[in-house]
Amino acid sequence: MTMEKWECTACGYIYDPEKGDPEGGISPGTPFESLPDDWVCPQCGVSKDFFQKIEN
């Protein structure tokens, strides 16, 4: 089963759970739902509320 990717609606950044966000302290394999509430988009800085699930 592949984990769902999420897209930032503000800048288009794709959060890929298989890659995580190493620069933000998020380990590879971390699902979007498990990101801390204060995590922000590494490209533009908006909150998780601006992300939407990418439908496969």
Side-chain angles (χ1 to χ4, degrees):
M1 181 181 150
T2 59
M3 291 187 273
E4 296 161 326
K5 295 180 182 177
W6 290 68
E7 180 178 8
C8 177
T9 59
C11 74
Y13 169 81
I14 305 293
Y15 175 75
D16 183 347
E18 293 179 10
K19 296 178 183 174
D21 176 19
E23 292 179 10
I26 306 300
S27 302
T30 304
F32 185 82
E33 294 85 350
S34 297
L35 294 173
D37 290 337
D38 61 354
W39 181 84
V40 295
C41 176
Q43 281 190 350
C44 70
V46 298
S47 69
K48 288 173 60 177
D49 295 339
F50 284 83
F51 281 73
Q52 66 182 14
K53 189 185 319 180
I54 297 174
E55 302 298 331
N56 294 337

